[in-house]
């Protein structure tokens, strides 16, 4: 700005001298006016060039990134409106429903094949605890996915301060188990893998339940820090102190003492007291998750036990000496589990899932009306499509999926495809959250630059 001021002062002095020493000839006056116009036009053009440069930078940014930011904001706004509209009636999202225990996925342990968490044995070789397991799930039509084989691995991601030869780790009864010293903590991951390729497997849904979160008589209390889950479920009357942390994690902390006598023996049948000391965590479309477990200062060893089942929701509850349906509110004293510690629910809040009769495909959809009967649909949308009529699924790798029907028709849907040992998982709720720039966005960017040049060009030729 200083150089512009000096230039303007010099030009004004020259103009004043010219006016004092010249006649009133009209040509001289016109020349003087022309000089003033040149000065103003020059300053205007400099600002115009800066503006064009900024617009060109914006256009180049859009060219490389596309217009995904605008699209993302629009989608988020639409989602907010949908949730507000639904909350006034059902308080549940339009693409989810509360699913009963007969449709919830469980992952059963078949065998522990390797036991060396943190490199502390008892086995030698690779670090971690490795299990062979099977996935079981069903949809509302009774179609089932039965014992789909997977590998589950537990790996320490921080130092594990235990002596060698620890035989508690691995499996303790029917539970996955980790032994901890008082005053210590451990970070670890739980991941699901393909049994043949050892590649991570993204499951549509799964849950993890931690049991017997309590403290010793000397107040060495246990805690679990979890992340990435959709919802958690605890007993109505839970003993756990639950804290949402600033980093997005949640801590579940014991508040009452327990003994070995009140430890659960089964994950599918629990006393009311056992349920009050546990938590079930719900995960969607993940292959792994992270945890921290630990205990406060003390002298005793503490055992942590967990399963890949929704036990706080579905494990039978002991009532008057008999095992009863945990969601049967007709029984006096039976209370529904609490989702996120607040809302009583008769199941787990999940996306709408359909399974083909032979278990070869799982469809995650916004639509509950996908049917299962012997007739084939000729409609080229997922509305009223016949699950048993699906012949194949093709991943187009451009955020679209082609579902080929046995009657020769094809359905093109936005979404993604993954595979779990021969079972195809089609997620039509995944709309590819970030679009990539293509020829259209690049063309628009160039048009912006050309439009700016066209607007500025006439000003550069004014006389």
């Amino acid at each position: 700005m200083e150089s512009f001021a000096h230039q303007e002062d010099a030009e004004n002095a020259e103009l004043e001298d010219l006016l004092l020493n010249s006649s009133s000839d009209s040509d001289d006056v016109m020349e003087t006016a022309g000089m003033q116009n040149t000065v103003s036009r020059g300053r205007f053009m400099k600002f115009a060039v800066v503006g064009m440069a900024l617009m060109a930078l914006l256009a180049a940014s859009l060219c490389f990134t596309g217009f995904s930011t605008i699209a993302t904001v629009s989608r988020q706004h639409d989602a907010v409106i949908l949730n507000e509209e639904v909350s006034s009636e059902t308080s549940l999202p339009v693409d989810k429903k509360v699913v009963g225990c007969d449709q919830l996925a469980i992952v059963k342990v078949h065998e522990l094949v390797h036991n060396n968490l943190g490199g502390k044995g008892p086995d030698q070789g690779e670090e971690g605890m490795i299990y062979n397991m099977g996935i079981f799930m069903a949809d509302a039509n009774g179609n089932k996915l039965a014992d789909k084989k997977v590998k589950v691995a537990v790996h320490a991601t921080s130092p594990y301060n235990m002596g060698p030869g620890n035989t508690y780790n691995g499996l303790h009864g029917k539970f996955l188990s980790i032994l901890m010293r008082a005053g210590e903590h451990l970070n670890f991951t739980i991941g699901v893998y393909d049994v043949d390729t050892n590649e991570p497997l993204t499951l549509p849904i799964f849950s993890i339940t931690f049991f017997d979160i309590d403290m010793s008589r000397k107040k060495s209390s246990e805690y679990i820090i979890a992340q990435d889950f959709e919802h958690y479920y605890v007993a109505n009357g839970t003993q756990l102190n639950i804290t949402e942390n600033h980093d997005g994690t949640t801590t579940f902390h014991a508040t009452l003492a327990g003994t070995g006598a009140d430890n659960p023996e089964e994950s599918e049948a629990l006393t009311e007291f056992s349920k009050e000391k546990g938590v079930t965590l719900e995960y969607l479309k993940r292959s792994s998750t992270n945890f921290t477990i630990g205990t406060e200062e003390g002298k005793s060893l503490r055992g942590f036990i967990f399963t890949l089942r929704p036990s706080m929701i579905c494990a039978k509850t002991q009532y008057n000496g008999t095992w009863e349906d945990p969601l049967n509110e007709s029984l006096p004293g039976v209370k529904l589990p609490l989702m996120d510690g607040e809302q009583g629910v008769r199941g787990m809040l999940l996306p709408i899932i359909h399974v083909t009769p032979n278990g070869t495909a799982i469809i995650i959809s916004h639509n509950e009306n996908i049917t299962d009967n012997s007739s084939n649909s000729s409609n080229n949308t997922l509305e009223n499509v016949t699950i048993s009529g699906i012949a194949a699924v093709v991943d187009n790798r451009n955020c679209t999926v082609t579902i080929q029907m046995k009657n020769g028709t094809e359905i093109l849907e936005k979404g993604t495809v993954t595979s779990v040992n021969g079972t195809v998982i089609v997620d039509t709720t995944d709309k590819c959250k970030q679009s990539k720039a293509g020829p259209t966005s690049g063309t628009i960017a160039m048009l912006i630059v050309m439009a700016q040049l066209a607007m500025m060009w006439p000003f550069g030729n004014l006389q």
Side-chain angles (χ1 to χ4, degrees), residues 23-147:
S23 64
S24 58
D25 190 295
S26 60
D27 290 339
D28 292 335
V29 174
M30 290 295 293
E31 183 179 354
T32 300
M35 291 180 65
Q36 289 177 316
N37 187 46
T38 300
V39 173
S40 300
R41 187 170 67 249
R43 287 165 35 184
F44 175 80
M45 286 301 295
K46 290 176 181 177
F47 285 110
V49 169
V50 173
M52 289 172 58
L54 291 175
M55 291 300 296
L57 181 63
L58 173 62
S61 175
L62 292 173
C63 179
F64 283 105
T65 65
F67 292 84
S68 58
T69 302
I70 299 172
T72 299
V73 171
S74 174
R75 284 195 297 271
Q76 290 174 344
H77 180 66
D78 290 344
V80 170
I81 293 175
L82 282 174
N83 287 335
E84 287 175 351
E85 291 173 352
V86 173
S87 63
S88 63
E89 297 180 3
T90 64
S91 75
L92 297 177
V94 294
D95 59 342
K96 294 184 179 181
K97 65 177 181 178
V98 175
V99 175
C101 293
D102 57 338
Q103 298 177 46
L104 296 184
I106 62 174
V107 186
K108 291 184 179 181
V109 178
H110 291 316
E111 61 177 337
L112 171 67
V113 296
H114 186 70
N115 190 3
N116 190 24
L117 183 67
K120 297 302 176 70
D123 294 344
Q124 302 295 316
E126 178 188 2
E127 185 279 330
M129 301 187 300
I130 312 298
Y131 305 82
N132 285 335
M133 297 192 180
I135 301 174
F136 297 78
M137 64 181 298
D139 66 9
N141 296 312
N143 298 318
K144 296 181 179 180
L145 182 70
D147 202 17

Side-chain angles (χ1 to χ4, degrees), residues 30 56 78 101 118 128 148 177 233 236 261 290 293 354 356 401 424 434 436 440 444 450 458:
M30 290 295 293
D78 290 344
C101 293
K148 185 64 63 173
S177 54
Y233 302 83
N236 190 331
N290 303 307
I293 57 174
H354 307 271
T356 56
V401 178
V424 177
Q434 183 171 358
K436 296 181 180 179
T440 302
I444 294 174
M450 293 174 66

Side-chain angles (χ1 to χ4, degrees), residues 293-369:
I293 57 174
T295 67
E296 295 178 349
E297 292 295 337
K299 296 182 179 180
S300 61
L301 297 174
R302 307 299 300 171
F304 289 80
I305 54 176
F306 52 99
T307 64
L308 275 69
R309 293 170 173 264
S311 297
M312 291 301 111
I313 301 172
C314 299
K316 291 184 177 181
T317 304
Q318 192 176 47
Y319 177 76
N320 288 340
T322 61
W323 297 104
E324 301 288 351
D325 179 357
L327 306 180
N328 184 3
E329 290 181 280
S330 66
L331 297 175
V334 172
K335 299 178 181 179
L336 294 177
L338 301 180
M339 182 176 70
D340 299 328
E342 298 177 350
Q343 182 178 359
V345 288
R346 294 181 177 83
M348 184 174 285
L349 185 63
L350 292 174
I352 299 166
I353 293 177
H354 307 271
V355 181
T356 56
N358 55 8
T360 57
I362 299 172
I363 310 293
I364 305 173
S365 171
H366 293 297
N367 180 21
E368 282 194 82
N369 296 324

Side-chain angles (χ1 to χ4, degrees), residues 76-350:
Q76 290 174 344
H77 180 66
D78 290 344
V80 170
I81 293 175
L82 282 174
N83 287 335
E84 287 175 351
E85 291 173 352
V86 173
S87 63
S88 63
E89 297 180 3
T90 64
S91 75
L92 297 177
V94 294
D95 59 342
K96 294 184 179 181
K97 65 177 181 178
V98 175
V99 175
C101 293
D102 57 338
Q103 298 177 46
L104 296 184
I106 62 174
V107 186
K108 291 184 179 181
V109 178
H110 291 316
E111 61 177 337
L112 171 67
V113 296
H114 186 70
N115 190 3
N116 190 24
L117 183 67
K120 297 302 176 70
D123 294 344
Q124 302 295 316
E126 178 188 2
E127 185 279 330
M129 301 187 300
I130 312 298
Y131 305 82
N132 285 335
M133 297 192 180
I135 301 174
F136 297 78
M137 64 181 298
D139 66 9
N141 296 312
N143 298 318
K144 296 181 179 180
L145 182 70
D147 202 17
K148 185 64 63 173
K149 300 295 190 296
V150 295
K151 182 175 78 172
V152 173
V154 179
H155 291 291
T157 56
S158 69
Y160 180 44
N161 186 20
M162 285 296 296
N166 176 7
T167 57
Y168 181 90
N169 282 2
L171 276 177
H172 187 72
K174 297 183 178 181
F175 303 92
L176 286 70
S177 54
I178 299 176
L179 189 65
M180 294 291 298
R181 294 182 186 273
E184 299 283 345
H185 77 273
L186 174 68
N187 301 330
F188 67 95
T189 64
I190 299 178
V192 183
Y193 300 86
D194 187 284
V195 292
D196 296 321
T197 66
N198 207 35
E199 293 295 320
L201 287 178
T202 299
L203 300 181
I205 57 173
F206 70 94
S207 56
I208 298 175
T209 298
F210 285 88
F211 304 82
D212 197 40
I213 306 170
D214 56 18
M215 54 197 302
S216 70
R217 293 179 179 177
K218 296 184 179 181
K219 310 303 180 184
S220 177
S221 62
E222 303 169 356
Y223 61 86
I224 294 163
I225 303 176
Q227 57 187 294
D228 304 325
F229 56 86
E230 294 293 316
H231 301 282
Y232 69 83
Y233 302 83
V234 293
N236 190 331
T238 180
Q239 300 177 17
L240 304 180
N241 182 22
I242 302 168
T243 305
E244 295 182 0
N245 305 314
H246 294 301
D247 60 357
T249 62
T250 303
T251 300
F252 303 88
H253 203 292
T255 62
L256 295 177
T259 66
D262 59 37
N263 290 352
E265 298 180 357
E266 292 278 351
S267 63
E268 301 172 65
L270 300 169
T271 65
E272 186 176 348
F273 184 67
S274 291
K275 287 193 173 183
E276 291 174 355
K277 298 194 296 179
V279 57
T280 290
L281 302 158
E282 169 196 336
Y283 296 89
L284 300 180
K285 293 181 284 188
R286 297 191 64 85
S287 62
S288 65
T289 188
N290 303 307
F291 292 99
T292 297
I293 57 174
T295 67
E296 295 178 349
E297 292 295 337
K299 296 182 179 180
S300 61
L301 297 174
R302 307 299 300 171
F304 289 80
I305 54 176
F306 52 99
T307 64
L308 275 69
R309 293 170 173 264
S311 297
M312 291 301 111
I313 301 172
C314 299
K316 291 184 177 181
T317 304
Q318 192 176 47
Y319 177 76
N320 288 340
T322 61
W323 297 104
E324 301 288 351
D325 179 357
L327 306 180
N328 184 3
E329 290 181 280
S330 66
L331 297 175
V334 172
K335 299 178 181 179
L336 294 177
L338 301 180
M339 182 176 70
D340 299 328
E342 298 177 350
Q343 182 178 359
V345 288
R346 294 181 177 83
M348 184 174 285
L349 185 63
L350 292 174

